[in-house]
Amino acid sequence: MLPDLKKLEVWFITGSQHLYGPETLQKVAEHATIIAESLHQSKQIPVSVVCKPTVKSTEEIYQVIQEANANNNCIGLVCWMHTFSPAKMWINGLKILHKPFLHFHTQFNRDIPWDSIDMDFMNLNQSAHGDREFGFITARMNLNRKVVVGHWQDEESLDKINIWCRAAAAWHDWQGAKFVRFGDNMRYVAVTEGDKVEAEIKFGYSVNTYGVGDLVQVINAVTNHQIDELVKEYIATYQMAPSLLENGAAHESLRQAAKIEIGIETFLETGNFKGFTDTFEDLHGMVQLPGIAAQRLMAKGYGFAGEGDWKTSALVRAMKVMGAGLQGGNTFMEDYTYHFHPDNRMVLGAHMLEICPSIADGKPSCEIHPLGIGGKADPVRLVFNSAAGAAINASIVDLGNRFRLLVNEVLAVKPIQSLPKLPVARVLWKPYPNMHTGCAAWILAGGAHHTCYSQNLTKEHLEDFADIAGIEFTHIGKQTEISSFKNELRWSEVYYKLNQ
């Protein structure tokens, strides 16, 4: 379900001009090819890097950008000025650019060749000021872009390019994506609402509602053979509660859960949807809530969020694309309850049923338990603890005049006790900079109770993504201080009002 990132392309575009003559331009092309191929072969860069011919005029720049816009595999550009490339040549091309771009401020040689450097060398290797000319025009045109400074073989440079490529891939995945809402959102809830029309204009994905009856019709068409095969997969993959096994008292409930999973996946595949939402208040005709179904479909790469929260479902999908191939997982999450012990303050994150097993620490347990909400039969779900380590929580909210992407860096910890009577997937974390400041900042920023929790992404991934999307990015981390944070929120409010 997740895209193969290596099939996506970033175009490496090098700027120069005809002034330098054929010999210099040949060297420029050779160097650009070597750099682009090195990036392409790097294990750190998840996408294909394609070197394009050196652009030397207004017409060449316009043409290559026009081609990039039209190419379905091109997710963005990496631009580098090997020599001085007069920036007025770039204006018309940049005006039509619809893909994200990264400005790579590098040079072919790492070191100054102290004994041999002459004016011919200086004439060829002019990135130090050629990139400043390009930087001016992108600033003058107020274009969002990432600037990476460093040698093209430096690990730090490669890591920053890797992060941007992943953000660009997620943005590419959103363009034309479809998300389905089964029923409406949870009644009277504010933060799960939002402007779906504005979201499609801003983000490129569409959200539409389908009646639960439409889904139930697909679920009811699932065959016994399909159910048998998926039940075998459950038994081979998870630690099974004895009551769910064949001849167990709840085996039929396991079969119903499998039937629901197959039905939802069939619906998503048929409609070419990349994610979905549902709500326990609107599941008429379904025997049980889709617990294990939502968990396993997330693990395959689909976006999901509960209670009709389409914004979080789309964000989960985007973060799964960003994290494709990396160790660790991304999942729908909710801050559920607090541990306020003064020596060990923590948040317990969970949901009723739907946490993705990609974050599990060990083999999940497949269990069935009563659920005191929703009015359905006892649902089947996967139960597990999450692995400890650095993580982030991300939330996207509609503030009316803009979308805000909020990220809190956290530290996941192992449970201090076994939680024997809490039969849900869960994770314990300590928000940075501390419990009091982290939670207060989140509430001041209007962050939702629903998030995407990530083990393999950093705040830089989300910051790059917000820049590409052209939305506000707000960060809560180790250095956050409330008075400064409140000022940042005030400044953002003024900025976005002025930009209207």
Side-chain angles (χ1 to χ4, degrees):
M1 177 55 196
L2 288 174
D4 180 354
L5 298 188
K6 209 62 182 178
K7 292 182 179 179
L8 303 176
E9 296 176 358
V10 165
W11 288 8
F12 191 87
I13 298 177
T14 306
S16 187
Q17 59 179 318
H18 287 292
L19 173 69
Y20 298 105
E23 186 177 344
T24 297
L25 289 174
Q26 182 179 347
K27 280 292 183 184
V28 168
E30 289 174 2
H31 292 173
T33 301
I34 290 169
I35 294 174
E37 183 61 22
S38 177
L39 296 177
H40 178 72
Q41 296 296 335
S42 171
K43 293 181 180 179
Q44 287 177 255
I45 307 300
V47 301
S48 293
V49 179
V50 178
C51 187
K52 290 295 176 176
T54 307
V55 290
K56 307 170 290 298
S57 67
T58 299
E59 293 75 19
E60 290 176 358
I61 292 167
Y62 189 90
Q63 181 178 343
V64 74
I65 290 179
Q66 197 173 43
E67 290 171 357
N69 285 337
N71 190 293
N72 290 331
N73 291 327
C74 176
I75 64 170
L77 312 179
V78 172
C79 298
W80 170 52
M81 306 303 114
H82 191 315
T83 63
F84 195 81
S85 179
K88 288 174 67 176
M89 297 193 310
W90 287 84
I91 292 173
N92 286 340
L94 292 173
K95 280 169 62 177
I96 66 165
L97 179 61
H98 299 311
K99 302 285 176 82
F101 74 99
L102 179 149
H103 183 186
F104 193 13
H105 187 38
T106 189
Q107 64 184 26
F108 184 71
N109 56 297
R110 190 193 70 176
D111 303 328
I112 294 175
W114 304 104
D115 294 334
S116 61
I117 187 170
D118 56 18
M119 284 310 300
D120 287 339
F121 181 92
M122 297 277 278
N123 199 42
L124 173 63
N125 297 283
Q126 298 187 45
S127 303
H129 66 284
D131 275 326
R132 281 169 167 77
E133 170 75 354
F134 183 73
F136 166 76
I137 203 61
T138 53
R140 176 69 175 81
M141 296 176 70
N142 197 27
L143 299 175
N144 287 349
R145 74 281 191 202
K146 182 169 188 173
V147 178
V148 175
V149 179
H151 193 254
W152 50 277
Q153 292 175 313
D154 288 349
E155 292 296 310
E156 183 179 3
S157 298
L158 293 172
D159 187 53
K160 289 184 177 297
I161 295 171
N162 162 46
I163 289 171
W164 177 84
C165 287
R166 291 181 174 278
W171 178 252
H172 179 77
D173 184 75
W174 262 12
Q175 305 315 297
K178 298 192 298 181
F179 294 86
V180 58
R181 301 172 73 204
F182 294 121
D184 204 351
N185 70 306
M186 183 178 175
R187 297 174 195 128
Y188 304 109
V189 177
V191 77
T192 55
E193 293 280 10
D195 188 336
K196 296 190 289 295
V197 174
E198 183 62 24
E200 187 163 357
I201 294 169
K202 193 71 177 173
F203 300 134
Y205 64 74
S206 64
V207 182
N208 288 288
T209 297
Y210 286 75
V212 178
D214 296 330
L215 173 60
V216 170
Q217 187 176 19
V218 178
I219 291 172
N220 288 340
V222 174
T223 67
N224 283 328
H225 175 71
Q226 290 175 294
I227 296 171
D228 291 342
E229 293 303 306
L230 185 54
V231 167
K232 290 177 184 177
E233 184 177 332
Y234 289 165
I235 294 171
T237 307
Y238 310 115
Q239 298 179 24
M240 300 296 298
S243 65
L244 293 174
L245 296 173
E246 192 171 4
N247 300 321
H251 183 66
E252 183 57 31
S253 295
L254 184 69
R255 293 183 62 82
Q256 285 293 334
K259 184 177 182 179
I260 290 169
E261 179 183 336
I262 295 165
I264 294 176
E265 186 168 15
T266 300
F267 194 103
L268 297 176
E269 287 181 347
T270 302
N272 195 29
F273 295 105
K274 293 183 176 179
F276 70 105
T277 74
D278 60 24
T279 175
F280 58 88
E281 290 179 323
D282 195 359
L283 292 174
H284 183 71
M286 295 178 65
V287 175
Q288 59 180 267
L289 274 70
I292 191 172
Q295 292 178 294
R296 284 173 47 86
L297 288 169
M298 267 191 288
K300 290 182 178 181
Y302 287 101
F304 172 81
E307 293 127 38
D309 188 355
W310 52 271
K311 296 187 298 298
T312 301
S313 177
L315 183 62
V316 169
R317 167 65 184 188
M319 291 175 67
K320 282 187 171 292
V321 172
M322 278 185 246
L326 298 178
Q327 186 174 1
N330 293 272
T331 180
F332 170 57
M333 185 58 68
E334 183 172 88
D335 295 55
Y336 227 100
T337 195
Y338 292 146
H339 185 64
F340 268 134
H341 190 285
D343 297 329
N344 194 21
R345 297 184 180 96
M346 296 179 288
V347 178
L348 175 61
H351 204 251
M352 296 183 299
L353 302 169
E354 312 100 336
I355 301 298
C356 179
S358 64
I359 69 164
D361 185 15
K363 192 175 185 178
S365 173
C366 185
E367 304 177 13
I368 182 169
H369 299 276
L371 184 67
I373 193 169
K376 298 290 181 182
D378 298 346
V380 177
R381 82 290 301 267
L382 300 176
V383 178
F384 54 84
N385 291 317
S386 174
I392 59 171
N393 264 314
S395 170
I396 192 163
V397 293
D398 185 346
L399 295 175
N401 66 335
R402 67 191 186 279
F403 292 96
R404 170 179 286 162
L405 181 56
L406 177 63
V407 172
N408 186 191
E409 295 176 281
V410 304
L411 179 66
V413 296
K414 289 185 177 295
I416 56 177
Q417 294 191 37
S418 61
L419 303 168
K421 295 185 178 181
L422 185 65
V424 296
R426 61 272 173 139
V427 54
L428 281 159
W429 69 77
K430 297 183 178 184
Y432 285 117
N434 55 62
M435 186 84 159
H436 293 160
T437 301
C439 293
W442 189 273
I443 289 171
L444 286 166
H449 59 285
H450 288 166
T451 65
C452 179
Y453 174 87
S454 176
Q455 297 171 321
N456 55 24
L457 302 177
T458 67
K459 72 102 172 174
E460 189 174 351
H461 289 89
L462 277 296
E463 185 172 11
D464 285 356
F465 186 74
D467 281 344
I468 292 170
I471 63 172
E472 181 185 4
F473 176 78
T474 307
H475 168 237
I476 305 167
K478 295 178 182 179
Q479 307 303 320
T480 297
E481 193 270 332
I482 287 295
S483 60
S484 297
F485 187 78
K486 289 165 74 173
N487 281 333
E488 290 175 19
L489 296 179
R490 295 184 185 111
W491 299 332
S492 289
E493 191 67 36
V494 173
Y495 172 82
Y496 283 95
K497 283 183 177 178
L498 289 174
N499 271 308
Q500 284 182 328

